[in-house]
Amino acid sequence: MSSAPATAKPGTPASAAKPAAQGGSFSFLKQTKVQPFTKKQLVAMFRGLASMLRAQINTADALKYYGQGLQDKAMSDALAKIRDEINSGVNVHEAFRRTGRFSDTVVGLIQAGSDAGQLHQAFGALATRFTSEMVFTKALRKATVMPCAVISVLAGAFIFSQVSIVPQVQDMLKSVSQTPDGMTAIAFKVSAITKTVWPFVVGSIIASAITIWRSDKVRNMILGIAMSKWRLLRLMIMSLRQMTFLSTMKMLHANGINLAKSIRVSANSVKGTPFYQELRDAADKYEGSGVPLSTAFSKYTSVDSQVVHMLSIGEKSASLDAQLEMLALMYEEDAQNYMASFTAAVNFLVLIVAVALIAAVFIGTFLPIFLMGPKMMNSKM
């Protein structure tokens, strides 16, 4: 029995008569999330574009030359789209925004550089920033990922010994009618407790890790608590954040962007942190109420007193660019020093935890054998 072709009902657009499968497929494709480029890709791209703009090549041609022969098809297509948008009269920053592959910080800096006629400097500054971020990210991963991996492996070894090996030792003692005493009895009790609770503990840890990974609010809350309890961590994070937005402010203001706009754009570089809203509030008060910049930072942000002091000096002596550059360099050096101290502290803590876990595995697994060995031998004689 042949089915009649689908027809649209009266008053229904023709497009509504398309098969449901096609509509579902189109909806899926439309909702596919565009992935941003990696920092390594952005560094190479912005360096190449900056060098061509400094050589007096216009932006559209620079995008064309860089995209030609590029192995990364996604980036090549994105650059071609940006070039077409620019040729059709769209602003450079808006063309970058429409791809969906660049953050608000990148778009804001491109807009500021374009407005100041210093787009090549904006591209160069972006390349420098992402290079610095890659260095610090690598250092943070080195300080945290490897220790977490080591502790996880040792914790797994401890659980395995308590769940599998220690019960076998306990069965051996029962087979020769020996009653555990002293440290042996304690070791067996620890094994019994571990067998009961380890699935819940491991499940809780995994659930917590997923929650922290997916929730910015939870992550920031935990980071805030950790920063309040560990001074070294607070100093390192604060140095990184202040270095980031101060270097952005310096680049923007040095290229003719007014202070209020420079502060707002630099706030995007620390989006997701308390500094983001604080900086925007300070910019509003500085622009709307006419309060001095140092006063706005002092009252409406949580920056260090050194930042407020140097901004005040910069305002009084008309050397704000120099003071911003000095502050950015100072916090970059501080961040590097704190990062080294943080790495050393974490490595020391990992060493202590590793020794404790190894000792726990040894005591829980082999100590009962050593202690009960003579009794087991005597029982067989």
Side-chain angles (χ1 to χ4, degrees), residues 23-38:
S25 176
F26 175 78
S27 176
F28 173 77
L29 292 173
K30 187 176 181 180
Q31 294 176 2
T32 301
K33 187 177 180 180
V34 177
Q35 294 295 327
F37 295 120
T38 64

Side-chain angles (χ1 to χ4, degrees), residues 158 162 166-167 170 180-197 364 368:
F158 172 76
Q162 296 298 307
V166 175
Q170 192 172 8
D181 55 7
M183 289 293 297
T184 304
I186 295 175
F188 289 161
K189 288 181 180 179
V190 171
S191 174
I193 294 172
T194 303
K195 288 176 65 176
T196 303
V197 304

Side-chain angles (χ1 to χ4, degrees), residues 72-370:
D72 188 340
K73 189 177 185 303
M75 178 169 282
S76 179
D77 292 343
L79 294 180
K81 180 179 178 181
I82 294 171
R83 185 182 71 249
D84 293 340
E85 295 276 9
I86 293 173
N87 288 332
S88 66
V90 177
N91 291 330
V92 176
H93 70 276
E94 184 60 27
F96 273 84
R97 186 195 303 278
R98 290 183 181 182
T99 64
R101 292 183 177 271
F102 300 94
S103 66
D104 292 339
T105 302
V106 172
V107 173
L109 287 173
I110 292 174
Q111 180 181 3
S114 179
D115 292 345
Q118 302 290 339
L119 191 56
H120 65 285
Q121 290 193 13
F123 286 154
L126 285 167
T128 301
R129 163 177 297 172
F130 285 126
T131 301
S132 299
E133 288 183 2
M134 287 171 62
V135 171
F136 282 109
T137 300
K138 183 178 180 181
L140 277 174
R141 286 178 179 173
K142 182 179 179 181
T144 57
V145 174
M146 184 59 69
C148 289
V150 171
I151 291 176
S152 298
V153 171
L154 291 175
F158 172 76
I159 292 173
F160 176 77
S161 68
Q162 296 298 307
V163 172
S164 179
I165 299 177
V166 175
Q168 294 180 20
V169 176
Q170 192 172 8
D171 291 339
M172 290 172 58
L173 291 177
K174 289 181 179 179
S175 67
V176 295
S177 302
Q178 292 294 326
T179 303
D181 55 7
M183 289 293 297
T184 304
I186 295 175
F188 289 161
K189 288 181 180 179
V190 171
S191 174
I193 294 172
T194 303
K195 288 176 65 176
T196 303
V197 304
W198 81 264
F200 303 100
V201 173
V202 173
S204 300
I205 293 174
I206 294 175
S208 300
I210 293 174
T211 302
I212 293 170
W213 174 54
R214 296 182 63 89
S215 174
D216 291 338
K217 185 177 181 180
V218 173
R219 188 163 56 248
N220 288 331
M221 181 184 69
I222 294 175
L223 182 60
I225 295 173
M227 289 171 63
S228 66
K229 301 298 182 181
W230 191 1
R231 181 172 178 272
L232 176 60
L233 179 64
R234 182 178 66 81
L235 291 173
M236 182 184 71
I237 297 298
M238 290 292 288
S239 295
L240 286 169
R241 291 174 177 175
Q242 291 178 108
M243 173 198 73
T244 300
F245 80 77
L246 285 169
S247 61
T248 304
M249 276 184 62
K250 179 261 175 187
M251 189 277 291
L252 295 172
H253 189 256
N255 286 286
I257 305 300
N258 68 68
L259 266 176
K261 186 174 182 180
S262 297
I263 297 171
R264 291 191 184 97
V265 174
S266 67
N268 290 327
S269 64
V270 286
K271 199 169 185 178
T273 72
F275 273 144
Y276 174 72
Q277 191 58 48
E278 291 176 1
L279 290 171
R280 295 183 69 86
D281 292 341
D284 293 339
K285 297 299 181 181
Y286 170 74
E287 186 177 43
S289 304
V291 299
L293 181 66
S294 56
T295 303
F297 269 72
S298 176
K299 289 185 175 181
Y300 303 105
T301 72
S302 55
V303 298
D304 294 343
S305 58
Q306 180 71 9
V307 174
V308 176
H309 180 61
M310 299 311 297
L311 290 179
S312 177
I313 293 174
E315 287 181 299
K316 294 175 182 177
S317 61
S319 61
L320 191 58
D321 289 343
Q323 303 309 323
L324 287 171
E325 183 175 8
M326 183 277 296
L327 286 168
L329 291 174
M330 181 186 76
Y331 280 110
E332 183 176 1
E333 293 175 358
D334 287 347
Q336 292 174 347
N337 294 331
Y338 291 137
M339 185 74 72
S341 299
F342 176 77
T343 302
V346 170
N347 288 337
F348 179 71
L349 291 174
V350 170
L351 180 62
I352 293 176
V353 173
V355 170
L357 287 173
I358 292 172
V361 172
F362 175 80
I363 292 173
T365 305
F366 298 106
L367 188 61
I369 298 176
F370 293 154

Side-chain angles (χ1 to χ4, degrees), residues 7-18:
T7 59
K9 295 181 179 180
T12 304
S15 59
K18 291 183 179 180

